[in-house]
Amino acid sequence: MSVFSAFARRPWLLPVLFGAGLALYPVIRPYDIYPQTVLLLAFLLAIQAVGWNIISGYAGYVSLGHSVFVGLGSYTAGVLSVRIGLNPLLAAPLGGIVAVVAAVLAGAVVLRTRGHAFVIITIALLLATQVIAVNWDALTNGSDGITLPLPPWSRDIQNVPFYVAFLVLMLAGVAFSAWIRRTRFGTGLVAIREDEGKAASIGVDTTRFKITAYAASAFFPGMAGAVYAYFLTFLNPVGAFNVLGSVMIVLAALVGGRGTLWGPVIGAFVVSISAELATVYGGGAQSRVLLFGGALVVVVLFLPAGLLPVVQAWWRRRHPVAIEYTDQGGALSAGRYELRPRVEPVPVEPGPVQHDVPLLEVRGVTKRFGGLVAVDNADLTVPRGSITALIGPNGSGKTTLFNLVTGTMRADAGEVRFDGTRIDRLPPWQRGHLGLGRTFQLTRLFRSMTVLENMVAPMPDGRWRTMVADARDGREAERARELLAFVGMARFADTPAGALSYGQQKLVELAQVLMTEPKLVLLDEPAGGVNPSLVARLSQIVRDLNAQGVGFLVVEHNIPMVLELCDPVVVFSRGSVIAHGPPDIVRNDPVVLDAYLGEDWSDGASPAVAEVLK
Ligand code: ADP
Ligand code: MG
């Protein structure tokens, strides 16, 4: 037990011991050629599984042809060593670069869209590369393959340099993966896996993130491929671009735990060593195929998360953390919050409501779902500096209008301008970078991330520098904690968002949107499901932010809150605006009462609701 807790308190200790042990092994026993071979093949598989994990574990886009990158690296080294006599070890960085270029080209074609096309393309890339390697005789020597020069060192220690090279690449690959996971880029990848639409709405350029992740996942396998070619000394297209190799990568990552840092390494050792045992004791290559097939089935059925997450879950069960509740007292007594600018501020000009200056203009926007016209030629203006309300019965198209404005959906017709820029053709993240933020009627936090990770996932701009900035340290994380304190959720910074109550999630989602320094926030039923005692606090938050220049467009059924907080009020019915103006005018408009209460309202059918409106 005490050994366990020693490791639990120092999470780096186990990997360091592991790396040191592996590094010392060939020093102590340099002539153990066979065990070294088994281990270095495990390192090679680990390098690939760790790379695969970046695009397929973090971002959730499964690559089934990932061995193509080792093949490309191998061929790069093979061709260069035969043509110009370059040592394959020196060719390794070039192997990495060739793999990255291939990933960017394939990714740029297929990763612009969402979904399953990617899986198919990854297999196609592997097979197409094999066909090219067979047919481009002049470069690759076709099916006859390439024979590389033998290494110059003594045969007695023939494997040691390869062992060291693969070990170094494996540890560097893990370090690279760990670094990615700490950056906003890595947080964004997990965000894409969890909810790609939501990620785009908070400024994550999903296309660029995915292509970059695919490229990053190819680099270390490409380098390792060059070393592998030297190790094999013979390359042919069928061996280098092999589907079974890709299956092993997926299996390794699934066995160990995809999306975790060390899972792919653990899985690679398990898979690689069992494959070796199967070959030795089980009768060769046939038994490997059976073993992998069987293992895949067992893992998917009984261990869907992989070994590492299962062990971690067991550990957490033995060391439970107490459940906490929203710091309502803290939130209610918190004073005025001063919006603190981001590290490089984009100034938001505060000021009074300027009814004549529009911040958001919606003109003639229409959206049909089959025969249903959800938004029907809608016109709406949000004045700069205002808290504008959008009210209307359920199903009148308010959420759909939000989706059209923020780019979650494309309008069939019409025009949307934001702060003078036409935005209806822009992808959602660019609208986010311009200063448009939103919350969702049913909150869409990234449930497997902690609250703090949720807070730092938004990308306030599209710069590479912002992308590679550390997500959890520094001023951004500090701002995140302040905003969490502001909404009464600071204590939950390290809680997984999925463990929060519905109302708590709403508060975090509001704080999350504020991270991008929006000029306009669209709130979709912010008070729905929130503890009534917090509703007043919520109004105060909105008013505070508004005083500092943030505009709001609020959809809300809590009519007293709307009438007290918002001006102007826009009334929506059946997809278009039926009334707008100051709350007083709208409150007494018979058309509005009719829309809300149906034809019979004047007969006193629902006096209570009519009373609320009055
Ligand atoms: P509100 O937010 O005002 O309650 P919505 O915008 O959610 O209304 O819905 C307006 C209408 O559009 C409803 O009839 C709803 O069923 C329909 N609708 C909304 N989203 C979709 C969708 N993705 N596919 C088909 N119909 C939809
Ligand atoms: Mg709605």
Side-chain angles (χ1 to χ4, degrees):
M1 196 61 236
S2 63
V3 177
F4 268 130
S5 40
F7 280 120
R9 256 180 282 120
R10 302 175 193 81
W12 46 266
L13 197 56
L14 210 52
V16 166
L17 287 179
F18 169 77
L22 288 175
L24 279 178
Y25 175 61
V27 176
I28 299 168
R29 314 225 23 166
Y31 306 114
D32 283 2
I33 291 179
Y34 172 65
Q36 283 168 11
T37 311
V38 174
L39 279 174
L40 71 84
L41 290 177
F43 300 163
L44 176 64
L45 184 59
I47 292 165
Q48 299 181 81
V50 168
W52 179 94
N53 192 45
I54 295 172
I55 178 73
S56 306
Y58 294 161
Y61 272 71
V62 173
S63 164
L64 279 188
H66 224 66
S67 60
V68 70
F69 299 120
V70 161
L72 283 170
S74 295
Y75 262 91
T76 306
V79 168
L80 288 176
S81 79
V82 171
R83 307 271 152 193
I84 61 167
L86 183 67
N87 183 296
L89 292 181
L90 298 178
L94 290 173
I97 290 170
V98 168
V100 166
V101 169
V104 169
L105 293 179
V109 174
V110 74
L111 285 171
R112 298 191 173 281
T113 53
R114 266 187 229 179
H116 300 300
F118 179 72
V119 181
I120 310 296
I121 287 286
T122 58
I123 303 173
L125 180 65
L126 178 71
L127 299 178
T129 314
Q130 189 186 72
V131 170
I132 292 171
V134 169
N135 290 296
W136 195 353
D137 263 349
L139 187 72
T140 65
N141 210 20
S143 309
D144 293 342
I146 296 176
T147 306
L148 287 87
L150 289 176
W153 50 80
S154 154
R155 285 193 60 178
D156 296 339
I157 54 145
Q158 60 181 0
N159 279 342
V160 175
F162 295 118
Y163 179 102
V164 173
F166 282 130
L167 178 61
V168 167
L169 285 176
M170 179 181 82
L171 295 176
V174 171
F176 182 56
S177 173
W179 172 73
I180 285 182
R181 190 63 190 82
R182 284 193 68 88
T183 61
R184 274 193 136 133
F185 170 49
T187 313
L189 294 181
V190 179
I192 288 170
R193 180 186 75 204
E194 295 270 304
D195 185 342
E196 192 164 344
K198 160 82 182 187
S201 86
I202 53 171
V204 173
D205 181 340
T206 53
T207 302
R208 188 211 288 176
F209 272 54
K210 287 186 290 182
I211 295 174
T212 310
Y214 193 37
S217 77
F219 183 63
F220 281 96
M223 293 231 286
V227 181
Y228 190 45
Y230 205 19
F231 171 76
L232 289 175
T233 70
F234 176 71
L235 286 179
N236 72 350
V238 175
F241 303 103
N242 174 299
V243 175
L244 199 58
S246 295
V247 174
M248 278 181 79
I249 298 171
V250 178
L251 186 59
L254 292 187
V255 166
R258 71 158 157 159
T260 64
L261 181 60
W262 286 98
V265 177
I266 296 169
F269 276 77
V270 171
V271 168
S272 186
I273 290 170
S274 359
E276 187 58 33
L277 292 177
T279 310
V280 173
Y281 297 107
Q286 296 288 327
S287 67
R288 278 188 178 219
V289 176
L290 260 182
L291 178 85
F292 294 151
L296 257 180
V297 172
V298 170
V299 168
V300 170
L301 285 181
F302 299 107
L303 211 68
L307 286 171
L308 190 60
V310 168
V311 172
Q312 285 170 336
W314 168 82
W315 180 262
R316 271 197 295 273
R317 267 200 306 282
R318 303 204 42 166
H319 302 82
V321 253
I323 298 169
E324 292 193 67
Y325 297 92
T326 317
D327 185 10
Q328 285 195 23
L332 292 171
S333 61
R336 189 186 146 81
Y337 176 76
E338 289 292 336
L339 266 190
R340 208 144 64 91
R342 291 195 296 116
V343 180
E344 273 167 79
V346 184
V348 184
E349 321 82 58
V353 184
Q354 295 167 287
H355 279 286
D356 44 338
V357 187
L359 181 57
L360 178 72
E361 291 169 281
V362 175
R363 294 287 168 261
V365 165
T366 298
K367 178 73 188 177
R368 293 183 201 90
F369 296 115
L372 175 84
V373 188
V375 175
D376 187 4
N377 199 17
D379 283 303
L380 174 141
T381 303
V382 177
R384 188 175 295 277
S386 72
I387 306 175
T388 302
L390 179 62
I391 62 172
N394 278 324
S396 56
K398 306 179 297 293
T399 298
T400 305
L401 184 70
F402 272 21
N403 288 337
L404 300 176
V405 168
T406 57
T408 308
M409 284 174 186
R410 267 283 179 85
D412 297 320
E415 204 178 303
V416 183
R417 283 177 181 280
F418 177 68
D419 207 11
T421 312
R422 182 149 179 205
I423 60 167
D424 46 280
R425 299 270 160 73
L426 298 180
W429 53 86
Q430 282 184 17
R431 306 186 198 201
H433 300 164
L434 288 172
L436 193 58
R438 77 172 294 186
T439 64
F440 288 84
Q441 181 171 354
L442 300 171
T443 52
R444 284 167 71 174
L445 290 179
F446 307 112
R447 299 175 60 83
S448 77
M449 288 189 194
T450 66
V451 167
L452 189 64
E453 283 178 312
N454 266 278
M455 291 293 290
V456 294
M459 282 283 294
D461 58 51
R463 284 180 307 179
W464 290 93
R465 254 185 63 197
T466 315
M467 231 170 116
V468 299
D470 194 310
R472 290 178 233 181
D473 285 324
R475 283 191 53 189
E476 284 294 272
E478 213 177 296
R479 257 184 80 230
R481 287 181 192 280
E482 285 179 12
L483 281 167
L484 284 175
F486 174 50
V487 297
M489 294 295 295
R491 274 200 250 149
F492 295 87
D494 299 316
T495 310
L500 301 180
S501 75
Y502 186 66
Q504 290 172 333
Q505 293 188 27
K506 288 226 134 172
L507 295 171
V508 172
E509 197 174 51
L510 174 60
Q512 183 187 46
V513 170
L514 295 175
M515 284 299 288
T516 62
E517 286 211 331
K519 293 178 189 153
L520 178 66
V521 183
L522 313 190
L523 300 175
D524 203 347
E525 306 198 11
V530 173
N531 188 321
S533 64
L534 272 177
V535 170
R537 172 70 189 147
L538 196 68
S539 298
Q540 190 54 47
I541 290 173
V542 170
R543 220 176 271 121
D544 263 11
L545 294 167
N546 183 247
Q548 297 173 63
V550 183
F552 286 90
L553 178 61
V554 187
V555 164
E556 184 50 65
H557 287 305
N558 183 335
I559 298 297
M561 174 182 168
V562 164
L563 295 179
E564 187 219 30
L565 186 67
C566 304
D567 183 11
V569 175
V570 178
V571 186
F572 223 54
S573 177
R574 299 202 183 96
S576 36
V577 173
I578 55 165
H580 63 94
D584 281 336
I585 294 177
V586 170
R587 177 180 352 220
N588 299 316
D589 189 331
V591 180
V592 175
L593 295 174
D594 200 39
Y596 255 101
L597 310 171
E599 311 264 301
D600 300 332
W601 68 272
S602 50
D603 302 342
S606 304
V609 187
E611 198 46 48
V612 167
L613 274 170
K614 287 218 155 108

